[in-house]
Amino acid sequence: MNLVKDFLADFDKEWIKEHLINLYRLERKQNFPYYEKAARYAYELMKAEGFEAELLDFPADGKTVYQDKTCPIGWDCTEGTLYVISGSGAYDGQNICDYEKEPLSVAKHSVALPEGGIDTYVFTESQMKAGVDVEGAFVLLNQTTRPAGAIIKMILDLGAIGWISDFQEEGITTDIDAVYWCNANTESGSWVATLKDRDFTSYQVSPRVAYSLRRGCEGGGVRVRATCNGRRYETKQYATTGFLPGEEDKEVWVLSHLYEPLIDDNSNGVIGSIAILKALRNLQQAGKIKLKYGVRL
């Protein structure tokens, strides 16, 4: 128990808070240029704290396979909006999505639309399934429909540009003004888009906004103007590792993941792992523990 107390006492909460917020702000962009910045941030932080560190890179080409996992295709986006022209009532004449203000409002791996954007209609998932022609339009999904797998295949098979979603994980998010982050916007349900995934341009809105859109779709139609400069391309993805040697040439691994845009998923895991390594080293230097095996992040 004394060792646990010593371990916890070594954590610098302000240091942890500062660095996890810095990392979180990078990862909220959820695009590959910022993923590289996030990996380099963790790498430089480990070096600054005096640990052996290495920055590794892997293909992000949508085709290279390790074991049974295909690498993602790179993605970048700096601009994406969804402006309501008419039909929604409360939100007519307003942007309901803006990547610059809320990066999670543009679905990851969305592709570019023609310069200046496009004007088109929005139809509900129910209208699509009832036979309404959604070619060249957006499909507003039911709130309980996760934008992944079979529903994406159906939307793209019918020629829609993409979808609008206010999906929220039951038991996790209940805020009617929250924009939920959906990973795995893929036909296969995979966590990452590869070269096999078809193009789409899609948006995330809050339940309050989606409620107004649904009423408009059912009451005569909603028109929107959509813009996006997203692109998929071959690039690199990065991983980083830090190491604290032990007495023997064996290692215990502490695993945490980059590249998801939430504090608890997983900025605090990455920074917390580095804090663990710091605490182990400090206890080792104070003579309170001996490390039989090395510890690698």
Side-chain angles (χ1 to χ4, degrees):
M1 181 60 76
N2 287 337
L3 181 58
V4 173
K5 289 181 179 178
D6 289 340
F7 191 83
L8 294 175
D10 191 84
F11 283 143
D12 182 343
K13 295 181 178 62
E14 290 304 313
W15 182 94
I16 293 172
K17 180 179 178 181
E18 174 191 353
H19 291 292
L20 76 84
I21 289 176
N22 289 344
L23 183 61
Y24 158 75
R25 286 173 175 164
L26 293 174
E27 298 205 294
R28 270 188 61 77
K29 294 292 187 179
Q30 65 165 348
N31 65 38
F32 276 67
Y34 276 85
Y35 286 170
E36 180 179 351
K37 291 180 181 181
R40 290 188 183 278
Y41 188 92
Y43 166 69
E44 294 293 348
L45 184 58
M46 288 188 289
K47 283 180 60 179
E49 291 296 331
F51 295 111
E52 298 177 27
E54 187 177 3
L55 188 67
L56 311 171
D57 64 77
F58 303 88
D61 56 8
K63 58 187 179 183
T64 298
V65 176
Y66 292 99
Q67 297 176 332
D68 62 343
K69 293 169 278 292
T70 304
C71 289
I73 187 71
W75 181 72
D76 190 12
C77 182
T78 60
E79 187 265 338
T81 61
L82 192 63
Y83 174 85
V84 181
I85 299 171
S86 63
S88 78
Y91 295 97
D92 288 0
Q94 297 183 41
N95 272 331
I96 55 174
C97 294
D98 188 336
Y99 177 85
E100 187 175 354
K101 294 179 179 178
E102 175 50 81
L104 305 189
S105 66
V106 174
K108 186 177 176 182
H109 294 115
S110 290
V111 301
L113 297 172
E115 188 173 353
I118 60 168
D119 294 355
T120 189
Y121 284 97
V122 178
F123 298 104
T124 66
E125 179 182 338
S126 298
Q127 289 171 325
M128 174 183 70
K129 290 179 176 178
V132 171
D133 183 4
V134 298
E135 185 173 359
F138 288 99
V139 176
L140 176 60
L141 297 177
N142 297 336
Q143 187 177 20
T144 56
T145 300
R146 178 188 288 275
I151 192 65
I152 293 180
K153 184 178 187 305
M154 183 178 187
I155 288 169
L156 299 182
D157 283 349
L158 293 173
I161 298 167
W163 61 88
I164 302 169
S165 171
D166 66 327
F167 174 82
Q168 295 193 2
E169 198 81 50
E170 185 177 1
I172 295 178
T173 310
T174 57
D175 186 343
I176 63 170
D177 291 311
V179 175
Y180 186 85
W181 176 63
C182 281
N183 201 356
N185 296 310
T186 60
E187 294 178 67
S188 66
S190 167
W191 290 113
V192 297
T194 69
L195 289 180
K196 295 179 180 180
D197 288 274
R198 286 180 284 178
D199 288 349
F200 60 76
T201 306
S202 302
Y203 302 88
Q204 289 288 134
V205 299
S206 71
R208 188 190 299 274
V209 170
Y211 175 77
S212 183
L213 293 179
R214 288 191 185 97
R215 292 191 64 180
C217 290
E218 294 163 358
V222 174
R223 283 189 63 82
V224 295
R225 179 176 299 118
T227 69
C228 183
N229 68 352
R231 66 186 182 110
R232 303 177 190 178
Y233 63 107
E234 291 191 14
T235 183
K236 295 179 180 179
Q237 58 182 336
Y238 293 85
T240 185
T241 177
F243 185 63
L244 178 62
E247 295 175 345
E248 296 187 13
D249 189 22
K250 293 182 180 179
E251 300 177 2
V252 174
W253 286 11
V254 178
L255 300 176
S256 55
H257 71 77
L258 294 160
Y259 307 155
E260 296 200 357
L262 306 173
I263 283 178
D264 64 341
D265 194 4
N266 187 35
S267 301
N268 63 354
V270 173
I271 302 303
S273 297
I274 300 173
I276 288 171
L277 209 63
K278 287 179 61 180
L280 289 172
R281 179 191 58 195
N282 293 345
L283 293 174
Q284 182 185 46
Q285 290 176 345
K288 294 183 178 181
I289 63 170
K290 288 185 178 181
L291 290 178
K292 182 176 183 180
Y293 303 134
V295 180
R296 181 177 298 279
L297 307 187

